[in-house]
Amino acid sequence: MIKTISYLGLGTMGSGMASNLLKAGYELTVWNRSVEKCEPFARKGARVAKSPVEAIRDVDLVVYMLSNDQAVEDVVFGTKGILTGIKEGQIVMDMSTVLPATSLREQEAYAKRGVDFLDAPVFGSKQESADAKLWIMAAGNKAIFEKVKPVLEHLGQTVHYFGKNGNATAMKLVGNLIVALEMEALAEGLVLAQKAGLNLNTVMEVVKAADFRSPLLVGNGHNILKRDFSSNFALKLMLKDARLIEKFAGSLQSPIPALRVVEKNLASAFALGFGTENASALIKALEKEAGVEVNASK
Ligand code: NAP
């Protein structure tokens, strides 16, 4: 049974998950590159480590939630990285959104040390992370998955097993392809509605009720109308994911014509300086082109 956990990466997503692990009663060690994010956890009784290798010492399970492939490279394969100290029998789980090829590289490196590895990315954002309502996918050895599942159940509302390593990160990219297209559809639709002079609140009433409704469209739509672009899922991360999807789909010769359009708009919004705003700020690239601002209070 898993009792001791190290959590590395206390960003938007990681901080909610690490809090829920503490609440669930696990003995928790935390590490974050910017050390100040560890302070609230220290106050709640977590041990704070000075490096990834120090964080992972003697724990049953190591979990990390990092920005991107480069961050995983640094934290796992770097000089004070996890691989410099991980021991046979420990379990490692990467919940970051990375390329499936990165998950496989991690799995191989850990296997050489007798360590089991799960890739376990998530759907849901800041709120779902804080409320332990994430949708979690996991891949790797089935027996190890079963061992870790009770931990995942403290973080999410559903847990889906995907078979061999790399499959969960593949599913995450499949899902984010759909998310990216939904965001683009919402942005294009709202700009058109604004240009057509429709009442934007009534537009959102329809988006909320009609057969194409989704929580993602409703949440982001209302925030756009209020011009609230505070970040739950940063635009720069969605751009990162679009590039991962392009690479992954390219490796399988799977067509992604619409995703390329979204990627271009995300890159334009990023170039306009909106990278740290919420991904819905993608609409700002379209607004610039259209010469309008979608704003319900105007
Ligand atoms: P975030 O708030 O930007 O946090 C990123 C974390 O990674 C921080 O702890 C950051 O440390 C750390 N980090 C970045 N580069 C690093 C490096 N080179 N070495 C060590 N640590 C590094 O991002 P997030 O929103 O939590 O997202 C984390 C992952 O979850 C991403 O892969 C994202 O795509 C995925 N995801 C996000 C959402 C969402 O809605 N936000 C939803 C599903 C999945 P510092 O604090 O020092 O910067």
Side-chain angles (χ1 to χ4, degrees):
M1 203 172 110
I2 289 168
K3 290 190 175 148
T4 52
I5 300 179
S6 283
Y7 202 103
L8 293 80
L10 302 168
T12 305
M13 298 299 284
S15 55
M17 287 194 254
S19 295
N20 286 324
L21 292 175
L22 265 180
K23 271 187 220 153
Y26 292 103
E27 214 177 287
L28 194 73
T29 302
V30 292
W31 174 83
N32 194 69
R33 181 181 59 177
S34 315
V35 70
E36 65 275 8
K37 289 186 189 162
C38 295
E39 282 160 20
F41 293 91
R43 284 197 296 274
K44 284 188 259 177
R47 184 173 76 92
V48 176
K50 289 200 176 71
S51 65
V53 69
E54 188 194 310
I56 61 156
R57 202 167 293 146
D58 300 327
V59 298
D60 301 324
L61 174 67
V62 176
V63 185
Y64 40 95
M65 183 57 148
L66 303 162
S67 307
N68 51 29
D69 292 68
Q70 183 57 51
V72 168
E73 183 70 35
D74 294 348
V75 171
V76 176
F77 297 91
T79 43
K80 286 187 177 171
I82 296 171
L83 280 165
T84 61
I86 196 87
K87 299 249 165 56
E88 190 170 344
Q90 288 183 285
I91 300 173
V92 178
M93 178 164 68
D94 184 0
M95 305 192 80
S96 325
T97 305
V98 292
L99 277 176
T102 300
S103 306
L104 292 177
R105 188 162 162 252
E106 291 175 83
Q107 186 269 325
E108 275 169 27
Y110 288 123
K112 281 186 191 146
R113 287 162 175 76
V115 170
D116 283 293
F117 171 77
L118 300 174
D119 45 304
V122 306
F123 288 114
S125 197
K126 186 179 179 174
Q127 198 59 48
E128 289 81 8
S129 171
D131 296 345
K133 294 282 183 201
L134 294 164
W135 297 274
I136 305 175
M137 299 141 296
N141 179 296
K142 183 81 196 286
I144 297 298
F145 165 73
E146 293 298 343
K147 212 167 163 182
V148 174
K149 200 173 165 200
V151 177
L152 295 176
E153 285 169 346
H154 287 293
L155 304 177
Q157 55 182 299
T158 64
V159 180
H160 308 266
Y161 178 65
F162 264 89
K164 65 179 172 36
N165 279 117
N167 282 356
T169 36
M171 177 58 215
K172 174 64 188 167
L173 296 185
V174 168
N176 269 20
L177 167 63
I178 297 169
V179 168
L181 267 51
E182 274 197 67
M183 287 289 229
E184 175 73 16
L186 178 69
E188 289 185 20
L190 288 178
V191 168
L192 179 59
Q194 172 82 44
K195 284 224 150 198
L198 303 183
N199 180 315
L200 294 172
N201 289 314
T202 319
V203 168
M204 283 310 301
E205 272 175 30
V206 176
V207 169
K208 199 172 171 182
D211 55 358
F212 57 85
R213 67 190 176 275
S214 92
L216 192 138
L217 296 178
V218 173
N220 285 291
H222 281 303
N223 284 340
I224 290 171
L225 263 52
K226 288 187 283 177
R227 304 309 285 176
D228 178 0
F229 295 100
S230 50
S231 177
N232 293 316
F233 175 42
L235 186 137
K236 65 180 178 186
L237 289 179
M238 186 171 229
L239 177 58
K240 174 261 304 186
D241 288 351
R243 290 175 174 152
L244 293 184
I245 295 161
E246 193 183 5
K247 236 185 195 171
F248 181 54
S251 72
L252 297 168
Q253 283 108 44
S254 188
I256 43 154
L259 190 273
R260 288 184 204 286
V261 173
V262 190
E263 189 181 337
K264 183 180 129 303
N265 285 331
L266 286 167
S268 303
F270 184 82
L272 291 168
F274 303 124
T276 55
E277 294 193 357
N278 199 52
S280 49
L282 139 84
I283 197 170
K284 295 186 180 181
L286 297 171
E287 288 175 334
K288 185 161 188 274
E289 201 179 324
V292 294
E293 184 181 285
V294 174
N295 190 335
S297 65
K298 276 191 179 164

